[in-house]
């Protein structure tokens, strides 16, 4: 929880890195003092934290400088980094020396003997400059990295939003197609003064549309739920075609809990009704099946109509909005991990076979 708060909040991340970085510098400097044994170390327990804090304050000044010239040309930024780091390093070194010689006055005598008392305040300025330069490089490196991550997240979010919009468009564009056909049928029944049957169709239509609107097109449903939705739709069509429409459902129990895109099969069944049932004097039959094969869910919709002029089992041009729509939805959701194949139903008709990865609904514990 704390780690997520630090990494996701820039302010927390900055101060955490400041504390860790300067603590690390103080610790390594103290180890160097002990190792080389050139300087007294009895008061370093408060001296090092103090000069580390002063150094951190100078880096805050550098941070303010870098933020003010962030949008400048790269050459100006490089100059600002070098000049700023060198200036901050010299000032930090002067502060360190002033405090050091107050605590350890004997360490200054060697400079005074050679008439270089002023130089004692800047001796080691180059090393201080490198510390500030490394801090500047880390600051820019981390800041550029965080910005690139944010841009990547924005890009992924934009792609995801476009992906969702595409799926919703593919899903919702089918409703007007189905709705217009049903309303035309209801209008015909009203003109024929068959009000009882028209009322039955209106009731069933409202149930189907409620189901369609209540289900998020981005969410998958179980095969059992999809079959229930198909039955709602076919209840409407049975009113139109009565005995001319023969239905066969064959769903394996193991396939009922498999997940699939909602209302994926409805446009395929509608396509069969339009081209196989409505145009035949004696109507026809539609068979819908679902089964599990290995790690795949196999779905099929078959009719005994005139069929299509198939070319290598693929969708020909002009083959219907429903078929093209279904194929595009599968591509958007599963990419290459799916197949949408058309074949001939023997002795005549069209069979649509769909293969998608088998997923099952996860239940909360």
């Amino acid at each position: 929880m704390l780690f997520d708060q630090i990494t996701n909040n820039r302010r927390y991340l900055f101060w955490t890195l400041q504390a860790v970085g300067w603590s690390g510098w103080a610790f390594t400097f103290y180890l160097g003092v002990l190792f080389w044994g050139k300087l007294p170390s009895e008061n370093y327990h408060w001296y090092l934290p103090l000069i580390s804090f002063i150094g951190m304050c100078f880096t805050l000044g550098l941070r303010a400088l870098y933020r003010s010239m962030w949008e400048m040309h790269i050459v100006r930024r490089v100059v600002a980094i070098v000049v700023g780091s060198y200036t901050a390093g010299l000032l930090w070194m002067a502060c360190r020396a002033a405090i050091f010689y107050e605590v350890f006055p004997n360490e200054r005598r060697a400079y005074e003997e050679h008439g270089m008392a002023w130089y004692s305040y800047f001796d080691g300025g180059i090393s201080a400059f490198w510390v500030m330069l490394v801090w500047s490089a880390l600051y820019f490196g981390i800041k550029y990295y965080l910005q690139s991550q944010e841009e990547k997240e924005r890009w992924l979010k934009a792609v995801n939003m476009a992906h969702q919009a595409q799926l919703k468009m593919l899903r919702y564009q089918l409703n007007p197609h189905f709705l217009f056909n049903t309303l035309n049928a209801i209008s015909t029944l009203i003109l024929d003064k068959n009000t009882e049957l028209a009322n039955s169709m209106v009731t069933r239509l409202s149930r189907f549309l409620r189901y369609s609107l209540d289900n998020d097109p981005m969410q998958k449903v179980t095969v059992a739920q999809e079959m229930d939705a198909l039955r709602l739709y076919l209840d409407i069509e049975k009113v139109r075609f009565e005995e001319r429409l023969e239905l066969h459902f064959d769903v394996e129990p193991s396939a009922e809990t498999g997940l699939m895109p909602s209302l994926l099969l409805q446009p395929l069944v509608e396509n069969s009704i339009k081209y196989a049932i409505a145009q035949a004097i004696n109507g026809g039959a539609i068979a819908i099946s679902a089964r599990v094969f290995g790690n795949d869910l196999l779905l099929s919709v078959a009719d005994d109509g005139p069929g299509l002029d198939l070319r290598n089992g693929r969708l020909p041009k002009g083959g219907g909005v429903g078929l093209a729509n279904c194929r595009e939805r599968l591509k958007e959701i599963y990419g290459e991990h799916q197949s949408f194949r058309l074949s001939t139903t023997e002795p005549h008709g069209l069979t649509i076979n769909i293969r998608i990865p088998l997923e099952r609904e996860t239940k909360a514990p």
Side-chain angles (χ1 to χ4, degrees):
M1 182 69 179
L2 180 60
F3 178 78
D4 291 338
Q5 185 182 29
I6 291 174
T7 54
N8 294 328
N9 188 298
R10 285 198 173 191
R11 179 175 296 178
Y12 284 125
L13 181 62
F14 175 78
W15 287 109
T16 300
L17 292 176
Q18 281 281 77
V20 172
W22 283 104
S23 298
W25 177 85
F27 180 72
T28 55
F29 191 90
Y30 184 68
L31 289 180
V33 169
L34 294 180
F35 180 77
W36 295 106
K38 292 183 178 181
L39 298 174
S41 59
E42 61 271 12
N43 291 319
Y44 266 59
H45 65 281
W46 63 266
Y47 169 73
L48 275 179
L50 178 60
I51 64 172
S52 298
F53 176 76
I54 295 173
M56 185 171 64
C57 290
F58 279 112
T59 58
L60 295 181
L62 290 177
R63 181 195 185 199
L65 171 65
Y66 297 155
R67 293 175 72 174
S68 67
M69 40 72 70
W70 186 258
E71 302 297 332
M72 290 184 181
H73 190 270
I74 183 65
V75 176
R76 291 187 176 182
R77 273 183 284 175
V78 171
V79 172
I81 291 171
V82 174
V83 174
S85 298
Y86 188 73
T87 303
L90 288 181
L91 293 176
W92 180 43
M93 195 66 234
C95 293
R96 286 169 55 183
I99 297 172
F100 181 79
Y101 293 130
E102 285 293 327
V103 179
F104 309 108
N106 293 333
E107 298 297 326
R108 191 181 180 186
R109 291 177 181 174
Y111 293 96
E112 292 177 342
E113 291 174 358
H114 294 85
M116 299 176 62
W118 63 271
Y119 181 73
S120 63
Y121 287 93
F122 301 102
D123 187 19
I126 297 300
S127 63
F129 161 65
W130 280 109
V131 171
M132 294 297 174
L133 189 62
V134 169
W135 183 94
S136 300
L138 289 173
Y139 176 81
F140 275 89
I142 294 172
K143 194 172 181 69
Y144 276 122
Y145 172 77
L146 292 176
Q147 280 195 338
S148 66
Q149 290 299 107
E150 287 182 355
E151 290 177 1
K152 183 179 180 181
E153 289 178 4
R154 285 195 295 268
W155 179 80
L156 290 175
K157 186 177 180 180
V159 170
N160 184 54
M161 290 176 66
H163 177 72
Q164 292 186 13
Q166 174 71 4
L167 287 177
K168 289 182 179 181
M169 180 196 71
L170 291 171
R171 159 72 184 276
Y172 285 139
Q173 68 177 259
L174 294 173
N175 286 338
H177 184 244
F178 158 69
L179 184 60
F180 293 151
N181 289 339
T182 305
L183 291 177
N184 285 333
I186 294 173
S187 176
T188 301
L189 291 173
I190 293 174
L191 290 175
D192 293 340
K193 297 184 178 180
N194 193 343
T195 55
E196 183 177 350
L197 197 55
N199 183 66
S200 176
M201 286 193 70
V202 169
T203 302
R204 296 177 184 186
L205 175 62
S206 67
R207 289 173 57 198
F208 178 77
L209 291 180
R210 185 178 297 111
Y211 174 88
S212 175
L213 295 174
D214 287 346
N215 284 275
D216 187 350
M218 299 305 301
Q219 300 297 323
K220 296 176 183 176
V221 298
T222 63
V223 172
Q225 290 172 315
E226 176 73 358
M227 295 304 164
D228 289 341
L230 272 180
R231 289 186 175 92
L232 281 176
Y233 165 73
L234 290 170
D235 282 345
I236 299 171
E237 299 297 350
K238 284 288 285 184
V239 174
R240 292 175 57 199
F241 296 100
E242 298 179 342
E243 289 79 12
R244 293 176 59 207
L245 175 58
E246 185 180 346
L247 300 172
H248 302 281
F249 282 87
D250 181 18
V251 181
E252 291 183 353
S254 59
E256 290 183 346
T257 56
L259 294 177
M260 60 180 294
S262 64
L263 293 179
L264 179 72
L265 301 182
Q266 183 268 332
L268 305 181
V269 173
E270 182 178 356
N271 188 79
S272 294
I273 290 175
K274 180 178 179 180
Y275 293 103
I277 310 300
Q279 296 183 7
I281 297 176
N282 297 322
I286 299 176
I288 303 159
S289 69
R291 61 191 180 93
V292 174
F293 184 77
N295 294 323
D296 294 326
L297 177 64
L298 306 180
L299 306 166
S300 71
V301 176
D303 63 60
D304 58 357
L308 292 174
D309 181 17
L310 300 178
R311 300 165 187 172
N312 299 322
R314 295 183 179 180
L315 179 64
K317 292 182 179 180
V321 174
L323 298 180
N325 187 290
C326 182
R327 182 180 61 179
E328 290 303 315
R329 284 188 70 193
L330 289 172
K331 285 184 178 180
E332 285 289 330
I333 296 172
Y334 299 106
E336 298 301 320
H337 303 290
Q338 52 81 30
S339 68
F340 182 85
R341 305 290 295 179
L342 306 181
S343 60
T344 300
T345 306
E346 296 299 335
H348 56 80
L350 177 68
T351 298
I352 304 168
N353 293 299
I354 297 172
R355 177 189 58 81
I356 59 177
L358 178 62
E359 302 174 82
R360 297 194 184 275
E361 189 175 20
T362 56
K363 297 181 179 180

